[in-house]
């Protein structure tokens, strides 16, 4: 049976997901109070409104998670750095509180050790270049605190890189942006190209000496959204060793949902809705303008496409749970991965293909980027 096959596969090759925003949800909903957001209690977490908790991660076959230590681009300068440190502290607090279930991880060996111990490896990624406030020293300190990727931009440009969802200013990377990439290569920190413009993607691939990742992006040829990856960039991943970790965000995977979202945002702009009120506006808009439905089949189409263009060695998973208001049918929370893998198996993906998708590709990219004990020793 497919279910037995997927269960057996996940026992050996548990999902390593590239992006989960539980930490921002914990900040916004309960101020990092894990007495109120009890992660061993699914019912309590569902009542608060998270997609993620420990029992659901186990049920979903997740063995390692990159927790996003995101802060919004509306925070500037030192305020962004302070909030990032609070996010990092939140991850450390969570891991310490649930030490029987979670293990902090910064290397491939840490991830493998956590699996052997029956714990979920907890890695960190910062989701926007504004979080270093133009400082390579701040970048290095985030690395020392355990952060193992930096997304070069979020939704807005930074002074040294253009965002996918802002008006281009630089036409890609500035000289300092290239310095950031080089320093990340040097210290063993993954360069994350989700959220950046296509020109930044291409220019980063020109200069990076280590594999890049897309922590939560899908294929632009399947859904023409600027947050997705063009085919010419996907085709270059085989030469770079990078991984496109396909996301589940409905407007990135389903063209009808993309169009609905674009129209909603036009109305939002016309009404002058502030960024902090975006979620409430979209929920209300959806009640009067029903949204199209994205499904597992949409995500499968993106995974098939990325595999076809980049190669099966360069595809992964980055759900973006707790970073979006709604999700495709069948992928409504972190328990959805086995259903997705079963759908891929029905499409002819072999066990070896699925193992690459769930964990082997990103572990290989991490190793090649220096996220290993040997890499740590070489930089000491």
């Amino acid at each position: 049976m497919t279910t037995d096959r997927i269960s057996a596969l996940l026992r050996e090759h548990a999902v390593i997901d590239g992006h989960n925003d539980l930490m921002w949800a914990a900040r916004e909903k309960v101020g990092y109070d894990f007495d109120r957001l009890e992660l061993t209690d699914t019912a309590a977490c569902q009542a608060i409104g998270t997609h993620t908790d420990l029992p659901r991660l186990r049920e979903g076959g997740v063995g390692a998670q990159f927790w996003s230590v995101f802060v919004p681009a509306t925070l500037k300068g030192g305020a962004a750095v302070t909030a990032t440190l609070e996010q990092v502290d939140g991850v450390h607090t969570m891991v310490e509180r649930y030490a029987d279930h979670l293990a902090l991880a910064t290397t491939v060996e840490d991830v493998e050790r956590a699996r052997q111990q029956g714990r979920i490896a907890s890695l960190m990624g910062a989701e926007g270049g504004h979080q270093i406030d133009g400082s390579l020293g701040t970048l290095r300190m985030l690395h020392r605190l355990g952060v193992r990727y930096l997304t070069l931009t979020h939704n807005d440009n930074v002074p040294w890189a253009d965002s996918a969802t802002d008006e281009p200013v630089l036409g890609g990377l500035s000289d300092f942006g290239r310095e950031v990439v080089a320093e990340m290569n040097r210290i063993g920190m993954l360069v994350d190209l989700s959220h950046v413009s296509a020109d930044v993607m291409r220019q980063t691939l020109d200069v990076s000496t280590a594999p890049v990742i897309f922590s939560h992006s899908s294929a632009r040829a399947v859904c023409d959204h600027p947050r997705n990856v063009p085919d010419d960039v996907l085709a270059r991943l085989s030469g770079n060793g990078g991984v496109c970790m396909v996301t589940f965000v409905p407007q990135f995977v389903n063209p009808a949902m993309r169009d609905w979202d674009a129209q909603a945002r036009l109305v939002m702009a016309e009404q002058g809705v502030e960024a902090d009120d975006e979620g409430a506006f979209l929920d209300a808009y959806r009640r009067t303008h029903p949204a199209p439905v994205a499904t597992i089949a949409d995500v499968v189409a993106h995974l098939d496409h990325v595999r076809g263009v980049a190669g099966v060695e360069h595809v992964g998973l980055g759900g973006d749970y707790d970073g979006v208001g709604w999700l495709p049918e069948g992928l409504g929370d972190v328990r959805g991965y086995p259903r997705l893998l079963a759908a891929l198996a029905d499409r002819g993906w072999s066990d070896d293909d699925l193992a690459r998708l769930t964990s082997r590709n990103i572990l290989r990219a991490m190793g090649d980027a220096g996220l290993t004990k040997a890499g740590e020793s070489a930089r000491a």
Side-chain angles (χ1 to χ4, degrees):
M1 293 175 58
T2 301
T3 301
D4 294 338
R5 173 187 168 190
I6 298 304
S7 296
L9 183 136
L10 286 171
R11 283 193 293 272
E12 292 298 317
H13 304 285
V15 170
I16 301 176
D17 181 90
H19 196 86
N20 183 301
D21 277 301
L22 178 65
M23 201 48 52
W24 187 255
R27 178 188 179 99
E28 290 285 276
K29 294 175 185 292
V30 299
Y32 304 116
D33 183 350
F34 291 103
D35 287 332
R36 294 171 59 198
L37 183 65
E38 175 49 67
L39 293 178
T40 61
D41 186 340
T42 295
C45 290
Q46 288 175 318
I48 287 173
T50 68
H51 301 138
T52 309
D53 56 55
L54 295 168
R56 284 186 284 177
L57 285 169
R58 301 280 192 189
E59 190 174 340
V62 177
Q65 180 66 65
F66 277 94
W67 303 109
S68 175
V69 290
F70 159 82
V71 306
T74 51
L75 292 175
K76 308 292 184 184
V81 176
T82 297
T84 300
L85 295 177
E86 291 167 348
Q87 286 281 85
V88 171
D89 178 65
V91 173
H92 283 273
T93 299
M94 177 179 70
V95 171
E96 290 168 6
R97 178 182 174 105
Y98 300 104
D100 290 344
H101 300 275
L102 302 174
L104 192 68
T106 60
T107 66
V108 171
E109 293 90 343
D110 291 340
V111 173
E112 292 171 342
R113 184 181 308 108
R115 184 181 70 82
Q116 293 164 2
Q117 295 170 342
R119 296 193 287 173
I120 298 167
S122 292
L123 304 110
M124 289 183 282
E127 193 184 6
H130 63 291
Q131 294 182 248
I132 66 168
D133 191 23
S135 165
L136 295 180
T138 299
L139 174 73
R140 289 188 288 267
M141 282 307 302
L142 290 181
H143 181 270
R144 290 187 173 103
L145 292 171
V147 177
R148 286 300 179 268
Y149 74 64
L150 175 71
T151 317
L152 298 186
T153 74
H154 192 242
N155 289 335
D156 298 340
N157 297 337
V158 295
W160 43 271
D162 289 339
S163 169
T165 48
D166 201 349
E167 292 298 318
V169 172
L170 300 169
L173 288 169
S174 73
D175 288 343
F176 180 73
R178 292 178 176 86
E179 287 184 46
V180 171
V181 172
E183 187 65 0
M184 292 172 71
N185 289 168
R186 187 188 73 82
I187 64 179
M189 194 173 190
L190 290 163
V191 178
D192 178 21
L193 297 179
S194 286
H195 280 288
V196 305
S197 72
D199 285 332
V200 171
M201 296 176 194
R202 296 176 184 116
Q203 291 171 22
T204 300
L205 286 165
D206 288 341
V207 300
S208 182
T209 59
V212 303
I213 64 167
F214 293 85
S215 67
H216 59 307
S217 295
S218 294
R220 195 172 297 188
V222 179
C223 183
D224 189 10
H225 193 289
R227 272 285 282 105
N228 288 337
V229 189
D231 276 1
D232 69 292
V233 175
L234 289 175
R236 293 183 64 182
L237 291 182
S238 60
N240 167 264
V243 180
C244 179
M245 307 181 84
V246 168
T247 194
F248 306 161
V249 180
Q251 62 267 34
F252 302 164
V253 300
N254 179 286
M257 183 64 200
R258 172 205 59 202
D259 294 344
W260 179 93
D261 183 71
Q263 181 60 37
R265 291 179 187 279
L266 282 176
V267 175
M268 188 166 64
E270 290 168 359
Q271 295 183 7
V273 176
E274 298 291 335
D276 290 344
D277 298 322
E278 175 184 308
F281 170 84
L282 289 173
D283 286 340
Y285 185 83
R286 195 181 191 196
R287 287 193 289 272
T288 56
H289 301 77
V293 176
T295 68
I296 281 181
D298 292 314
V299 178
V300 166
H302 286 267
L303 288 164
D304 275 337
H305 187 84
V306 173
R307 182 179 71 160
V309 176
V312 72
E313 300 88 357
H314 304 284
V315 61
L317 297 169
D320 203 8
Y321 285 110
D322 287 302
V324 292
W326 51 86
L327 288 146
E329 284 188 347
L331 295 172
D333 61 28
V334 294
R335 292 174 291 192
Y337 300 100
R339 287 188 288 273
L340 177 60
L341 298 180
L344 292 169
D346 290 343
R347 294 274 297 175
W349 287 52
S350 68
D351 285 358
D352 184 67
D353 295 339
L354 295 174
R356 290 178 183 278
L357 172 71
T358 59
S359 61
R360 284 169 51 195
N361 288 342
I362 187 60
L363 286 172
R364 186 258 312 146
M366 288 169 60
D368 290 348
L371 279 69
T372 63
K373 293 299 183 187
E376 294 288 341
S377 299
R379 291 186 294 272

